[in-house]
Amino acid sequence: MQAGYVGLGNMGSPMVERMLAQGVATRVYDIAPDPVKALVAKGATSADSPRALAEGCDVIGVCVPEDEHVLSVLRGPEGLLAGAKPGSVIAVHSTILPATAERAAAEAAERGVGLLDACVTGGADRALKGQLTYLVGGDPAHVERARAYMLVCAEKIVHAGPIGSGAKLKLCINLITYLQWTAAYESMLLAKAVGLPQAVLEEAGLSNGQMTELMVAYLRTHKLPDAARKSAPAQKLLRGHMHTAEKDLAWALKLAREAGVALPGAALASQQMARLYGVEDEGRR
């Protein structure tokens, strides 16, 4: 299997690292040179454009920040679809709107290329261990063509339904995550205000099942010294996570409006991401 991968950020780089460690020949592309160089040093092959990357690949992963980036990577004379061979499959790992996945799949089909909205959940550490979960929408035949590729990084593949279903499921799952974090953050604030140690709150919450390991992992950021959390590098990283969370919640709320469902909890949580991530400065650094 010849794999390709576009977008070498917080999830993309560890996923490619895992593929290389498992002996999967992988071609990579990113507009930032440093992650490309790092992965080439570990055995990847670099490409000069998405089109060049796609030529000869059987399965291509795409993990870029937003819907517009996904479409940009696919389209144009230097896009993936200009180089992808008929019968290949593009797996979009980005958290996008279902309508974006449907549009992208239709454009890919015109070239004889399959496209899946193959969202991932689990985080970078689980990617390196091959323990991700894929939330997949698309044609079952395309899922089977991409199965070997996905199983390199995943311990479970959930085929949610036709194209767009993976994106819908990911937005629902992300909503659970951010509501959990809101609950964890506010319970932590109350515990501290009344003199209870954070460790005691976590011990009690884990013991009765009301607090998950994911919530405890989130709360670790609030154990860091203030100086570390307020440093320029930390604030830049936290702001990036905040922007991703705000986008994901905005997409969940948009999907809810289209479906005629009210999500007041999601709407409230979407206004709290700066507090939850501890973004305390007001400008870009």
Side-chain angles (χ1 to χ4, degrees), residues 25-38:
T26 309
R27 197 176 297 165
V28 295
Y29 173 82
D30 196 287
I31 58 173
D34 288 346
V36 173
K37 291 176 183 177

Side-chain angles (χ1 to χ4, degrees), residues 127 149 170 253:
Y149 158 86
K170 180 66 185 301
L253 289 165

Side-chain angles (χ1 to χ4, degrees), residues 84-148:
K85 64 182 180 180
S88 60
V89 177
I90 297 171
V92 177
H93 305 313
S94 311
T95 302
I96 57 176
L97 286 167
T100 302
E102 293 166 0
R103 187 181 314 124
E107 293 179 15
E110 293 175 359
R111 304 278 187 137
V113 175
L115 188 139
L116 304 169
D117 48 319
C119 302
V120 293
T121 182
D125 288 342
R126 292 177 70 85
L128 289 169
K129 297 173 183 177
Q131 297 174 344
L132 294 177
T133 297
Y134 279 85
L135 314 174
V136 186
D139 189 308
H142 299 155
V143 175
E144 290 309 310
R145 284 187 218 160
R147 185 172 294 276

